[in-house]
Amino acid sequence: MTLRRLSTRSASFDAELAALTRYEAVQDETVETTVRAILAEVKQRGDAALLDYARKLDRVQARSIAELEVPRAALETALAGLPPDQSRALHLAAERIRDFHERQRAQSWEYVDAEGTRLGQRVTPLERVGVYVPGGKAAYPSTVLMNAIPARVAGVPELIMVSPNASPLVLAAAALAGVNRVIAIGGAQAVAALAYGTESVPRVDKIVGPGNAYVAAAKRQVFGLVGIDMLAGPSEILVIGDGSVPADWIAMDLFSQAEHDELAQSMLLAPSGAYLDDVAQSIERLLPMQPRRAVIEASLGARGALIETRDLAQACAVANRVAPEHLELAVEDPEPLLVQLRHAGAIFLGRWSSEAVGDYCAGPNHVLPTAGTARFSSPLGVYDFQKRSSLIGVSQRAAASLGRVAATLAEGEGLSAHARSAEMRFK
């Protein structure tokens, strides 16, 4: 295949980049309508609707939701029964993810001002979180770890995981991450159960985890009733290269995101046309060997690009415009570039930092903002499972001084009851 080539020297570059990186989550009206009906059914009929959808969509025969719940002993058995290499990898990944997120945990704080008023912020965890983990043919133990461990670190006491046909590796990850309950349901109906609650599935405060178009639509429609992590678009990687990293490495890094799906985006920015040529040759040579060649080829053909920039500084400027999910600095010295970068979900520093390591076991979360939303949002973290309450303990002395200020401003807004409420404390 011939990968798209762009140059910042071209007069049409800005328009070409905008067209290439534009992604708007098209809300398929058929999907939205179907999901709306499923949500309404589960809200009204509870467990009975869940069981009907389990039979219809998951081809699972069950007389009760209890039959679809995976016993805790089965989780522990799955963990104990892993092959040694998988067990070591899962434990090491969990340990690193937990260690990183422990450092994110916010603490409550307060102080007393000069007039004796007590002010502060109380940080408390959410009470119950739902974790959606796709099932079926694919297995995503990393999804379990990345979503459940930060919630546990935050202090969330109850985690409800929903996953149709979860594999032993996924169940093992659930045991290791401290998931309380695993229920073998999926799709929009599982999101509905978590959002509304049923006779057997408790209502949660927040729903996290990826899913198909129906799951995404369901999360969008219940947002506001419950919290959600984010509405994610296709996966993205943007690599800035100075020619010091082997072209084969870069090609494989581009493949690592392109193989997710046909809408994923992989781009390389470099000031050397010769280096871009080398990477293009590596892509041509390595692509036929990839098990997911068809997906990679479709992704690179639709949304991939090799972009020649004037220098590395301009490459950073372009990266800031794109605000990619994953940003690799495949350069000899990443530090001078790091200070120029403002918008990215995760930044990988230097030749040894492959995005794949970040996906599984580096420690930081792999749930990242996509489609340019890194300009205003952040990776999933402990802070997503904590909430903050303000503390205000006004002293008698301050009731007069602050009360006068409040009353003056309230009168200015035409809210006389506010003003009287403040004044009654000192008049």
Side-chain angles (χ1 to χ4, degrees):
M1 64 170 295
T2 301
L3 193 56
R4 180 186 289 101
R5 293 285 287 263
L6 303 178
S7 172
T8 57
R9 293 181 173 86
S10 169
S12 60
F13 174 73
D14 288 346
E16 291 172 329
L17 181 68
L20 178 64
T21 56
R22 184 181 300 116
Y23 173 77
E24 297 176 0
V26 178
Q27 297 182 23
D28 186 312
E29 192 52 43
T30 301
V31 172
E32 295 292 325
T33 301
T34 300
V35 167
R36 196 171 294 114
I38 292 173
L39 295 179
E41 276 284 299
V42 175
K43 184 178 182 180
Q44 180 179 1
R45 298 176 55 231
D47 282 0
L50 281 181
L51 291 169
D52 284 347
Y53 284 118
R55 298 183 191 106
K56 179 181 177 182
L57 301 178
D58 296 331
R59 304 289 191 269
V60 173
Q61 297 300 319
R63 292 167 295 180
S64 69
I65 298 300
E67 292 182 24
L68 296 176
E69 184 158 352
V70 181
R72 180 70 196 183
L75 307 186
E76 298 295 344
T77 298
L79 182 59
L82 289 180
D85 59 338
Q86 283 190 354
S87 180
R88 284 192 296 270
L90 198 65
H91 277 83
L92 178 60
E95 181 182 346
R96 293 185 62 86
I97 293 165
R98 187 173 291 108
D99 181 64
F100 176 87
H101 287 86
E102 286 281 359
R103 301 164 195 264
Q104 289 184 334
R105 186 163 45 194
Q107 302 296 326
S108 299
W109 53 265
E110 61 180 69
Y111 66 96
V112 177
D113 70 13
E115 291 188 307
T117 292
R118 176 185 174 191
L119 302 170
Q121 180 173 269
R122 186 178 182 219
V123 178
T124 55
L126 304 183
E127 287 191 14
R128 186 182 292 127
V129 167
V131 180
Y132 189 98
V133 179
K137 297 179 180 178
Y140 298 102
S142 61
T143 294
V144 181
L145 300 183
M146 293 290 184
N147 286 274
I149 289 177
R152 274 295 187 209
V153 170
V156 176
E158 189 173 4
L159 296 179
I160 310 297
M161 184 176 119
V162 291
S163 183
N165 306 310
S167 71
L169 189 54
V170 166
L171 296 179
L176 192 56
V179 171
N180 297 89
R181 295 175 63 187
V182 177
I183 305 172
I185 55 176
Q189 61 272 21
V191 174
L194 294 173
Y196 302 128
T198 71
E199 298 91 333
S200 302
V201 182
R203 175 178 170 175
V204 302
D205 300 308
K206 192 166 196 173
I207 301 172
V208 299
N212 62 18
Y214 292 88
V215 171
K219 287 170 68 177
R220 185 186 301 111
Q221 291 186 29
V222 300
F223 176 59
L225 177 66
V226 295
I228 63 172
D229 46 2
M230 61 184 71
L231 295 172
S235 191
E236 308 157 350
I237 187 170
L238 186 151
V239 181
I240 295 178
D242 64 357
S244 64
V245 178
D248 282 5
W249 295 15
I250 301 300
M252 201 58 65
D253 289 349
L254 299 177
F255 290 171
S256 72
Q257 294 310 294
E259 74 174 350
H260 275 294
D261 64 65
E262 292 84 353
L263 291 176
Q265 183 155 70
S266 302
M267 295 189 292
L268 168 63
L269 278 62
S272 167
Y275 186 53
L276 295 179
D277 290 339
D278 290 343
V279 173
Q281 292 171 11
S282 291
I283 289 172
E284 288 286 347
R285 181 168 45 80
L286 296 174
L287 183 58
M289 309 174 196
Q290 305 310 306
R292 294 179 63 81
R293 173 182 179 174
V295 175
I296 294 172
E297 192 164 13
S299 171
L300 293 180
R303 304 191 70 214
L306 303 176
I307 302 175
E308 185 174 354
T309 62
R310 287 194 302 271
D311 50 34
L312 292 176
Q314 188 182 44
C316 290
V318 173
N320 282 327
R321 288 172 55 187
V322 175
E325 178 187 18
H326 306 99
L327 173 56
E328 279 190 10
L329 300 182
V331 297
E332 195 68 39
D333 182 9
E335 293 304 321
L337 303 188
L338 182 59
V339 298
Q340 301 177 55
L341 294 165
R342 299 185 304 278
H343 310 301
I347 303 174
F348 297 80
L349 307 173
R351 64 160 54 205
W352 307 112
S353 305
S354 70
E355 185 279 331
V357 170
D359 265 353
Y360 293 103
C361 58
N365 211 286
H366 77 194
V367 182
L368 301 168
T370 62
T373 60
R375 296 186 65 85
F376 54 82
S377 56
S378 307
L380 188 73
V382 171
Y383 37 76
D384 288 298
F385 302 101
Q386 293 178 316
K387 51 189 174 60
R388 289 150 291 282
S389 302
S390 297
L391 300 179
I392 305 169
V394 180
S395 67
Q396 184 176 359
R397 178 184 172 190
S401 60
L402 295 179
R404 288 187 177 89
V405 174
T408 298
L409 294 175
E411 291 287 6
E413 293 185 352
L415 300 176
S416 58
H418 279 68
R420 298 295 85 76
S421 173
E423 288 173 341
M424 290 177 77
R425 263 75 177 177
F426 65 87
K427 279 191 175 181

